[in-house]
Amino acid sequence: MSLPSQPGNLAAHAAPGGYYTPPPSWWPLVGSVALLTLASGFILLLAKVGAGPWVMALGFAILVFMLFGWFGNVIRESLAGRYNPQVDRSFRWGMVWFIFSEVMFFGGFFGALFYVREFAIPWLAHTPLLWPGYDGAWPTEGPGLKDAFTPMAAWGLPAINTLILLSSGATVTWAHWGLKSGRRGQLALGLLLTVLLGALFLTFQAYEYHEATFSLKTGIYGATFFMLTGFHGLHVTLGAVMLTVILLRVQAGHFTPDHHFAFEAVSWYWHFVDVVWLLLFVFVYWL
Amino acid sequence: MDAHSANPAIPVPGQPPRDYAEEHHGAPPGGLRRWLTSTNHKDIGTLYLWFSFAMFLFAGALAMLIRAELARPGIQLVEPAVFNQLTALHGLIMIFGAIMPAFVGFANWMVPLQIGAPDMAFPRMNNWSFWLLPAAGTLLISSFFVPGGAAAAGWTMYPPLYLQGGISYDMTILAIHILGLSSIMGAINIIVTILNMRAPGMTPMKMPLFVWTWLITAFLLVAVMPVLACAITMLLTDRHFGTHFFSAAGGGDPVLFQHVFWFFGHPEVYIMILPAFGIVSTILPTFARKPLFGYTSMVWAVASIAFLSFLVWAHHMFTTGMPAAGQLFFMYTTMLIAIPTGVKVFNWVATLWKGSLTFETPMLFAIAFICLFTIGGFSGLVLALVPVDIQLQDTYYVVAHFHYVLFSGAAMSIMAGVYYWLPKWTGHMYDETLGKTHFWLTAIAFNVTFFPMHFLGLAGMPRRIPDYALQFAEFNLIASIGAFVLGAAQLLFLYNVVRCIRGGKPAGAKPWEGADTLEWTLSSPPPYHSFTTPPTVR
Ligand code: HEM
Ligand SMILES: [Cu+2]
């Protein structure tokens, strides 16, 4: 991934039109209304109020409307050539820091997993007065729960999923090469393969969830397992949706060999999701 | 900073400032649309500042109720359950609704002006970051009116207590998620603006200190707000989806929440003080009429405070029964932070040394900041000592500590900044007499309110309890009287600000002769698009 070059580069200022500052826009406000509606619906749902799911659906619809409108705006501005190299650098930095915030999000859950495995569980196992007979062997649902379960084995489906996701990282890079050297066929095929591999991964993941002998409620093992893999799956879904949008934009002829930040942003995101999976594979499935 | 005294863009006294205004599309849309759809960093900054002020008054009103209840022993005004709602929401709204948005408001207004940029890097996202705040504020404030009342488990939201509440607890979690989203987007915007939008020639070590402190603050925000999101997501799933993150029976641990929360929480307190350092480091040189002492060491001190802030979180957890090795580690790292903090305090004092000082309102607030923040830093050091903290944890000593750093630190630096930049924002001078009255009332009432809390804490009065033993009565009454004066004084602040917006002596481009940052090269108020042609900084 090519990082932004020297910040504060002077050449950019000389470009015609200067830094693009967009005119007033309603989309941010629409986005806020969407999130408030979505959140309120969720709260109602949790309180088991009947209207909850409907309010949530409304909020989600407004959110999707906003995303279409806002990104539509951005795409039109980009096609109209409003974005000079300095704006492009802003987008790059923005995406880098967004991904960093995502890294910290997953970091928090991994931290919780490590803390539980390294500290909390051994301490529980060493308090025989409270929990006599608890040995604290991982994976565990804790001393208080007694449901039988089989932990997820690493070297079956998860290993295959690792291969799938790694290949999808390769195909998206292959597509990028195609884009950079103007081979549109390779670009479209690479993207399509990436989306398909992502969908295959999600299908296997859904199958794995379906076959699992434990759930979110199965003590700390179930909680960390489903929280980490679930949020990862959500990110893969989002990434696949974004890749699809990029594929459609490729078909619409939006990108040129040297002007295609949206493509790069999504591929950075995809690689990030890939790396998270590798860590999941090692620390959630394997070790 | 001394780089700026040689800056040719700074107008010579007596000469008109260069006008960077662009002729076309220079005006905002009229009416409400200007605020609802804004993509202008100054308008959005104004929105942030007003929102923050409204939340400051609301959370302040909650504090008045708390102090009214605590004025005398016994339960007189509110039920214990309501009292707990008041303390929890006072903390949450002050932190997320008042202090943080105020600093983001300053960043919006001043960062583009101080680095010579036309606007923020992402003007539309900037507007979204703002408009998420009223959404979250709605959830928080309306949570008082749902069955069961607002969340009453403290601003720190510890399980297992937090797991037991009703619908308002979910409203609080969702509100914090939205606030986090707003903070992350705002922080990314600020980082990118600073990295990518600086005027030609403004190398990093020529950036004004306020810009430096915000760059590092924004980094902290992007790093820890997602971790807070983790913590409250786990609360939510433990509450509703049967996970056992915080329940020992399922192999979890309530202390896990404290670790994740404070991994966010301690950097968070620096998020609320680093921009204050930036504001004070801007004001002191202006009114001392000499450059900031030790610019480079100031930058390094801020950076090392930020770095260390990731290694000290468990000093909030000394009484949770962690192993002695952990207690020692966190004690020493915490004490280490005193070193860069001390560097800053000494540099400020050295900036004042032999300056030609004048004491306008911003300067008064800045000097009070140095004195009172330092007291808060010292009480922090006291709390960092494990054996001492085991006595003081969850007493009023902690309350005294964090109000010295948060009120006389963060909040008073915000007041200093408002008085300092009001002339630039509005084009008018504020009323100096009113400003000074506000200052003295605030500074004195603040100490009357919070200094006795040190004694109360040392004597063992627990925090977050609506009633207390008779021996604590006198100091509590004194604190409550101070609090009412402190609260009333802020209405004077509001009055003074509104008056200044409405009119007043014209400020001119540069009302403070000692100021030397780029914003003073623009007219007051500045043109709608700040620097359409970037100034050159040598
Ligand atoms: C020299 C610097 C500092 C040191 C050594 C320090 C140390 C500490 C310690 C050890 C505690 C835990 C006390 C306890 O709960 O028993 C504490 C609490 C606290 N500190 Fe500081 N602190 C420092 C600066 C700051 C600053 C700059 C802020 C904010 C601007 C701050 C805000 C807080 C808050 C809000 C709490 C209480 C949190 C709660 O339990 O609700 N501190 N500090
Ligand atoms: Cu701390």
Side-chain angles (χ1 to χ4, degrees):
Chain A
M1 86 187 186
S2 61
L3 272 175
S5 60
Q6 194 52 35
N9 190 324
L10 326 182
H13 284 291
Y19 197 91
Y20 178 67
T21 44
S25 165
W26 286 101
W27 295 120
L29 194 68
V30 176
S32 297
V33 171
L35 287 188
L36 182 59
T37 316
L38 195 59
S40 310
F42 190 43
I43 292 159
L44 292 177
L45 174 85
L46 293 176
K48 304 192 172 57
V49 176
W54 299 103
V55 179
M56 265 185 96
L58 177 68
F60 189 71
I62 306 177
L63 188 67
V64 171
F65 173 64
M66 178 280 266
L67 289 171
F68 265 95
W70 192 331
F71 278 107
N73 241 351
V74 172
I75 291 168
R76 273 191 300 279
E77 287 164 3
S78 169
L79 293 179
R82 295 277 164 74
Y83 296 159
N84 67 11
Q86 196 188 6
V87 177
D88 193 65
R89 267 200 308 280
S90 285
F91 285 149
R92 281 159 199 278
W93 274 124
M95 193 65 197
V96 167
W97 288 103
F98 169 65
I99 290 178
F100 174 65
S101 79
E102 293 268 44
V103 168
M104 294 306 292
F105 183 71
F106 279 99
F109 286 119
F110 275 111
L113 177 67
F114 296 150
Y115 174 82
V116 166
R117 289 186 58 175
E118 289 302 315
F119 299 106
I121 300 219
W123 287 337
L124 278 178
H126 289 127
T127 44
L129 273 180
L130 275 177
W131 307 104
Y134 179 59
D135 66 352
W138 188 263
T140 175
E141 55 182 335
L145 306 188
K146 298 281 176 266
D147 302 322
F149 72 95
T150 340
M152 206 59 81
W155 296 106
L157 210 47
I160 298 174
N161 258 347
T162 307
L163 274 181
I164 293 176
L165 221 47
L166 285 181
S167 332
S168 78
T171 51
V172 80
T173 304
W174 186 65
H176 193 198
W177 291 345
L179 176 50
K180 280 202 292 199
S181 47
R183 292 193 294 272
R184 304 201 75 85
Q186 178 180 336
L187 166 61
L189 182 63
L191 267 176
L192 186 67
L193 281 175
T194 313
V195 175
L196 289 179
L197 287 169
L200 192 62
F201 171 90
L202 286 173
T203 315
F204 282 169
Q205 200 70 351
Y207 176 76
E208 178 188 282
Y209 276 19
H210 184 252
E211 296 293 296
T213 55
F214 59 95
S215 74
L216 204 58
K217 299 186 167 98
T218 313
I220 194 66
Y221 174 67
T224 49
F225 177 89
F226 280 104
M227 202 71 138
L228 275 159
T229 57
F231 270 113
H232 176 262
L234 215 61
H235 280 71
V236 177
T237 313
L238 199 66
V241 170
M242 295 194 301
L243 282 168
T244 313
V245 172
I246 295 295
L247 181 57
L248 295 175
R249 290 189 60 193
V250 165
Q251 300 310 73
H254 280 184
F255 301 119
T256 64
D258 44 34
H259 194 81
H260 51 258
F261 169 69
F263 177 95
E264 285 176 81
V266 174
S267 74
W268 296 352
Y269 190 80
W270 195 254
H271 289 309
F272 153 72
V273 170
D274 232 3
V275 172
V276 173
W277 174 261
L278 284 182
L279 294 173
L280 280 179
F281 181 71
V282 174
F283 292 111
V284 176
Y285 289 93
W286 183 14
L287 295 183
Chain B
M1 261 337 227
D2 32 9
H4 291 122
S5 19
N7 178 356
I10 302 296
V12 186
Q15 271 182 9
R18 275 168 62 194
D19 187 14
Y20 295 103
E22 213 182 7
E23 275 76 37
H24 60 277
H25 84 308
L32 206 57
R33 249 192 78 199
R34 167 172 180 184
W35 305 106
L36 294 179
T37 67
S38 180
T39 47
N40 181 281
H41 73 99
K42 298 192 220 57
D43 284 353
I44 295 173
T46 305
L47 285 170
Y48 265 108
L49 288 166
W50 275 117
F51 176 83
S52 138
F53 203 90
M55 290 299 115
F56 180 62
L57 291 183
F58 180 81
L62 301 184
M64 295 299 109
L65 286 174
I66 293 173
R67 280 322 315 174
E69 173 57 51
L70 290 176
R72 287 193 296 141
I75 306 284
Q76 33 259 328
L77 209 71
V78 292
E79 300 270 300
V82 176
F83 184 86
N84 290 347
Q85 299 173 24
L86 295 177
T87 51
L89 272 281
H90 164 73
L92 280 171
I93 297 180
M94 276 295 184
I95 289 171
F96 292 102
I99 305 264
M100 290 168 69
F103 282 132
V104 182
F106 277 106
N108 258 292
W109 255 100
M110 302 323 297
V111 165
L113 293 183
Q114 291 200 332
I115 64 174
D119 208 295
M120 297 290 283
F122 305 111
R124 267 185 300 236
M125 190 170 87
N126 200 14
N127 192 31
W128 199 21
S129 309
F130 171 76
W131 280 106
L132 286 173
L133 297 182
T138 308
L139 284 177
L140 279 181
I141 292 177
S142 59
S143 76
F144 273 105
F145 307 103
V146 298
W155 81 276
T156 48
M157 303 178 284
Y158 283 2
L161 183 57
Y162 201 88
L163 303 180
Q164 294 159 12
I167 182 172
S168 60
Y169 290 64
D170 299 321
M171 297 170 79
T172 305
I173 289 176
L174 271 284
I176 294 174
H177 269 307
I178 294 178
L179 290 165
L181 209 60
S182 157
S183 288
I184 291 171
M185 289 194 294
I188 291 178
N189 214 336
I190 291 168
I191 296 181
V192 176
T193 305
I194 297 172
L195 291 181
N196 193 33
M197 309 275 290
R198 297 195 307 277
M202 184 171 282
T203 51
M205 292 314 273
K206 285 185 187 168
M207 295 193 317
L209 211 72
F210 178 69
V211 178
W212 258 116
T213 54
W214 243 116
L215 178 64
I216 291 168
T217 303
F219 167 75
L220 289 179
L221 276 168
V222 181
V224 301
M225 290 312 283
V227 179
L228 174 64
C230 275
I232 59 177
T233 303
M234 290 191 277
L235 279 182
L236 192 79
T237 59
D238 264 21
R239 279 169 59 77
H240 293 287
F241 301 106
T243 55
H244 291 82
F245 286 110
F246 307 132
S247 132
D253 184 352
V255 175
L256 166 63
F257 177 84
Q258 299 189 25
H259 279 292
V260 184
F261 180 86
W262 287 113
F263 185 85
F264 144 81
H266 190 83
E268 166 69 16
V269 307
Y270 284 99
I271 287 166
M272 294 189 286
I273 204 66
L274 295 185
F277 290 172
I279 291 174
V280 168
S281 305
T282 313
I283 291 175
L284 291 176
T286 296
F287 297 99
R289 291 164 182 76
K290 58 198 272 272
L292 184 70
F293 186 88
Y295 171 86
T296 313
S297 64
M298 283 301 218
V299 172
W300 282 106
V302 175
S304 31
I305 288 174
F307 172 74
L308 287 173
S309 76
F310 287 106
L311 301 175
V312 299
W313 76 87
H315 64 212
H316 296 272
M317 304 165 54
F318 283 148
T319 55
T320 55
M322 79 175 93
Q327 290 183 323
L328 285 176
F329 173 82
F330 287 107
M331 173 167 91
Y332 287 128
T333 50
T334 303
M335 291 167 73
L336 219 53
I337 292 204
I339 295 172
T341 312
V343 167
K344 302 199 73 81
V345 173
F346 282 121
N347 278 346
W348 289 325
V349 174
T351 305
L352 297 178
W353 185 252
K354 289 191 174 167
S356 11
L357 308 185
T358 51
F359 299 96
E360 288 84 347
T361 310
M363 181 63 156
L364 289 175
F365 272 106
I367 291 175
F369 173 96
I370 303 180
C371 304
L372 299 176
F373 171 78
T374 304
I375 294 180
F378 280 138
S379 59
L381 268 178
V382 171
L383 291 170
L385 299 161
V386 174
V388 180
D389 184 70
I390 287 171
Q391 289 291 312
L392 294 178
Q393 157 90 78
D394 265 338
T395 68
Y396 260 81
Y397 194 88
V398 178
V399 179
H401 158 67
F402 66 70
H403 283 91
Y404 268 81
V405 283
L406 282 176
F407 195 101
S408 61
M412 279 170 71
S413 84
I414 290 168
M415 293 169 192
V418 167
Y419 282 111
Y420 183 66
W421 281 304
L422 257 183
K424 175 55 56 190
W425 297 340
T426 64
H428 307 133
M429 294 307 288
Y430 58 86
D431 185 316
E432 194 65 64
T433 316
L434 273 182
K436 285 189 173 143
T437 317
H438 171 223
F439 167 76
W440 284 110
L441 280 174
T442 302
I444 293 170
F446 167 80
N447 283 293
V448 174
T449 311
F450 292 105
F451 208 80
M453 292 185 188
H454 291 109
F455 307 135
L456 287 171
L458 289 168
M461 176 170 161
R463 62 190 282 211
R464 293 172 170 167
I465 308 279
D467 191 6
Y468 47 82
L470 286 180
Q471 54 175 333
F472 303 128
E474 283 84 2
F475 279 136
N476 267 297
L477 185 60
I478 296 172
S480 288
I481 293 172
F484 298 141
V485 178
L486 187 59
Q490 305 321 311
L491 299 177
L492 199 61
F493 182 36
L494 176 64
Y495 174 69
N496 206 2
V497 170
V498 172
R499 238 178 77 140
C500 176
I501 294 172
R502 290 260 176 100
K505 207 167 107 259
K510 190 168 171 240
W512 314 123
E513 54 169 29
D516 74 346
T517 35
L518 278 177
E519 71 268 29
W520 308 107
T521 65
L522 293 171
S523 56
S524 301
Y528 193 60
H529 288 289
S530 306
F531 287 96
T532 33
T533 323
T536 307
V537 181
R538 297 244 171 78

